[in-house]
Amino acid sequence: MGPHYIDLHKTAVQTQQKSLEGYVGFASLPNQVYRKSVKRGFEFTLMVVGESGLGKSTLINSLFLTDLYSLEYPGPSHRIKKTVQVEQSKVLIKEGGVQLLLTIVDTPGFGDAVDNSNCWQPIIDHIDSKFEDYLNSESRVNRRQMPDSRIHCCLYFIAPSGHGLKPLDIEFMKRLHEKVNVIPLIAKADTLTPEECQQFKKQIMREILEHKIKIYEFPETDDEEENKLVKKIKDKLPLAVVGSNTIIEVNSKRVRGRQYPWGVAEVENSDHCDFTILRDMLIRTHMQDLKDVTNNVHYENYRSRKLAAVTYTGPDNNRAAKGPLSTKHDTVEGMSPLAQMEEERRDHVTKMKKMEMEMEQVFEMKVKEKVQKLKDSEAELQRRHEQMKKNLEAQHRELEDKRRVFEDERSNWEANQRLEQQKMEASRTLEKNKKKGKIF
Amino acid sequence: MSESAKPHHPSPQGKGEKTHASDFSYVGIDAILEQMRRKAMKQGFELNIMVVGQSGLGKSTLMNTLFKSKVSRKSVQPNPEERIPKTIEIKSISHDIEEKGVRMKLTVIDTPGFGDHINNENCWQPIMKFINDQYEAYLQEEININRKKRIPDSRVHCCIYFIPPTGHCLRPLDVEFMRRLSKVVNIVPVIAKADTLTLEERDFFKQTIREELRANGIDVYPQKEFDEDADDRMINDKIREMIPFAVVGSDQEYQVNGKRILGRKTKWGTIEVENIGHCEFAYLRDLLIRTHMQNIKDITGSIHYETYRVRRLNESNAHFKSQPSDHPAVQPKANGQPEVTPSAPQANGVAAKHEVMSHEM
């Protein structure tokens, strides 16, 4: 099937370069796309993750030049969190007629507790739920409105220790690099001297390679100029950023920066930090690419994993996943659906058999118990019966004795009575005789 | 400063010899200060400092800066390995340093691995165990029948706790650790890598920390209850208004305005470590070394160690008949007094501590 197919493909795409004889007008296609996109507006979801106090809110404010977190709506870092939360804030910004619906997902409480095991779990759950929402809306019958709330980019803030990555950093990035575009940043970079910064970056990249973490890679283009820029950015990874929204006067220039007693660290000075590189990369050049990678790579990964876990019955299924099965089959991606089904059936059958056996066992046990109980109660009854019989016999004997005694007494008494009577008779006759005798 | 209390007679003339009629009533009791000073110089001093904090907060650098020499664990290791140990280790390095004839045995106790793991539950336990073990060793020496004339003091005098400069508030781990350890050792909290905070952020952070310490009942050095008199209280109150100190450490020298100073050079300026306008390292150094070193050792000896001792002896009172306690009064004197601490309280300081202790018991 292989080669034949390719041949067909080849013959189908025997494109001939034809030159135009006049102006047709499809060169304005990009303009049409542009106009339509501008009308539609853009969406972008950005997630920021890092320990509290690393300047995440300040950096967001600096990036988009708006006060997303202000005094009236303080950033999550000003509120103490007990568990890791995931918070979304939406803001609609306009520039040059282009609308951008920007969603910032913040994760306060990450890495702040004493025990931080599984603090990444709420974040993973959130990302998955966004993918699931999109999957569901994609599979609906009516697909007119498909809001894209998937996370397009995750900025991970590394504390500027100057040594290397912490175990928490490594764990987090390892778990999330396959779900979302991870861009690691060195936070509060004004703490490091240039030499320390270089060393720190090298150490981090070494550790990232060592642990096989796939951070977001800038795509190679055909354009030589752009490639040079991309290479320059790659050399500076991870980007060391400083954030600030306060304006300070330096040499009669107004710049955004941080005022120290020993000088002013300018945010937009590329000598001082890599903020401009981040901003250009994130917003001006690679925003669309981030969205594309999210759509084509991360979302597709999620989708294939999810769908392979569900029994495959047809393309227009509303694929609500069956819980226990999907979690079991998360690891068997890439198996054909039929084989999957077979295996499932076999699993099911064995499960049923096991259940049956178990139930039989349970039943037997119950029966034995019942029989035992009955025997016990029978024995009990028997015993009682014996007991009662004995009692009765005892009573009977007692009564017999009493009766005998009574008979004896009675016969005695009768005997006595007779004697008495005889005596009386004798005495009467004697008296009679006496009387009679006296007359003589 | 204590030298000003010396008599007008220069020493070669001998104490107690009166040549001037105006010094008719001079006895020479205050010459004991000179005697103690000489004795202390001969004996030398011991100081044990423990540094606790997450990796990457500049603990080793700060130690090197404090004592202006490479005393930290990292400087002593032959090949510096930056890996985080799986369990918390306690590494103790001792150095003999000398300055102007005064010898000091400095021990720096490092705790790599603290707070670096994902699950940091009970990470303070190895540290508490170590501190108690040192007290135990001292106790065993003390209750020996044939005691050494001078018991080697390996008790932790001071624990410097490094707070990461988040700028918001204390983390749960910080609160837990300080709460437990402020009861067994003198804790000096410092804000590490303070060059990350602007002055306003620094003030706000310090205020938040002080409130949280108060709210949690954590008593850090200098403890309010151990102030001996009004002078002490005034000095210590000023210090208490400033803790935690925001420090920056560096062991590299740079040229600034023609002077060579320790600092950190960035693209936007050079941070001078000893400049009070830049960071509070000078205050920390003065507290630890120049003014309160003796006080720290006294409190360790007479309060923390005594608490431990009372608890231990009560636990095993079948074994040891509790022989009270003129021992605590002996300890501070044996350590010598030529420091620049206010010498006036020393005389009644000892008695006051005795009272305090008996009050505690």
Side-chain angles (χ1 to χ4, degrees), chain A residues 191-234:
Chain A
T191 248
L192 302 164
T193 64
E195 303 86 37
E196 291 171 353
C197 198
Q198 271 303 96
Q199 221 182 338
F200 191 34
K201 285 188 185 185
K202 278 210 205 89
Q203 176 69 21
I204 292 181
M205 289 315 281
R206 221 178 304 150
E207 290 193 23
I208 286 182
L209 272 172
E210 184 187 317
H211 288 99
K212 299 201 190 32
I213 296 173
K214 295 196 257 225
I215 57 175
Y216 173 69
E217 280 189 4
F218 298 88
E220 301 276 326
T221 56
D222 300 325
D223 192 0
E224 262 309 309
E225 278 294 320
E226 282 205 27
N227 266 350
K228 268 202 273 191
L229 273 161
V230 167
K231 188 157 182 321
K232 256 195 356 195
I233 297 179
K234 281 203 182 160

Side-chain angles (χ1 to χ4, degrees), chain B residues 74-94:
Chain B
K74 295 230 177 95
S75 324
V76 169
Q77 265 174 347
N79 44 336
E81 7 137 341
E82 301 282 1
R83 57 163 192 96
I84 295 174
K86 283 276 172 328
T87 56
I88 299 168
E89 301 170 344
I90 311 257
K91 295 228 169 96
S92 172
I93 317 261
S94 291

Side-chain angles (χ1 to χ4, degrees), chain B residues 187-200:
Chain B
I187 288 198
V188 177
V190 296
I191 301 178
K193 295 201 167 174
D195 55 347
T196 236
L197 302 167
T198 62
L199 292 177
E200 303 90 41

Side-chain angles (χ1 to χ4, degrees), chain A residues 151-305:
Chain A
I151 313 265
H152 298 125
C153 173
C154 174
L155 296 176
Y156 186 72
F157 286 70
I158 302 172
S161 65
H163 293 322
L165 288 176
K166 290 204 264 216
L168 179 62
D169 300 337
I170 297 173
E171 266 307 307
F172 179 85
M173 287 203 276
K174 275 215 309 229
R175 278 161 201 272
L176 258 81
H177 65 155
E178 310 239 288
K179 289 188 181 279
V180 73
N181 297 319
V182 174
I183 300 183
L185 300 172
I186 300 178
K188 293 198 167 178
D190 51 351
T191 248
L192 302 164
T193 64
E195 303 86 37
E196 291 171 353
C197 198
Q198 271 303 96
Q199 221 182 338
F200 191 34
K201 285 188 185 185
K202 278 210 205 89
Q203 176 69 21
I204 292 181
M205 289 315 281
R206 221 178 304 150
E207 290 193 23
I208 286 182
L209 272 172
E210 184 187 317
H211 288 99
K212 299 201 190 32
I213 296 173
K214 295 196 257 225
I215 57 175
Y216 173 69
E217 280 189 4
F218 298 88
E220 301 276 326
T221 56
D222 300 325
D223 192 0
E224 262 309 309
E225 278 294 320
E226 282 205 27
N227 266 350
K228 268 202 273 191
L229 273 161
V230 167
K231 188 157 182 321
K232 256 195 356 195
I233 297 179
K234 281 203 182 160
D235 282 338
K236 292 201 179 200
L237 284 183
L239 301 170
V241 292
V242 175
S244 168
N245 241 358
T246 46
I247 301 188
I248 303 173
E249 280 231 15
V250 170
N251 297 340
S252 70
K253 243 194 335 168
R254 289 170 68 81
V255 285
R256 286 190 298 154
R258 290 172 63 73
Q259 171 94 43
Y260 292 112
W262 49 88
V264 175
E266 296 170 38
V267 167
E268 282 162 344
N269 185 336
S270 54
D271 263 344
H272 291 189
C273 73
D274 301 327
F275 173 79
T276 36
I277 301 180
L278 174 70
R279 183 194 55 198
D280 292 345
M281 183 273 288
L282 197 58
I283 304 177
R284 294 179 193 177
T285 50
H286 286 84
M287 190 185 262
Q288 191 54 40
D289 185 63
L290 283 165
K291 290 172 76 167
D292 286 340
V293 172
T294 311
N295 192 30
N296 300 340
V297 178
H298 299 294
Y299 174 64
E300 288 302 316
N301 275 344
Y302 172 82
R303 189 170 167 277
S304 54
R305 241 180 290 142

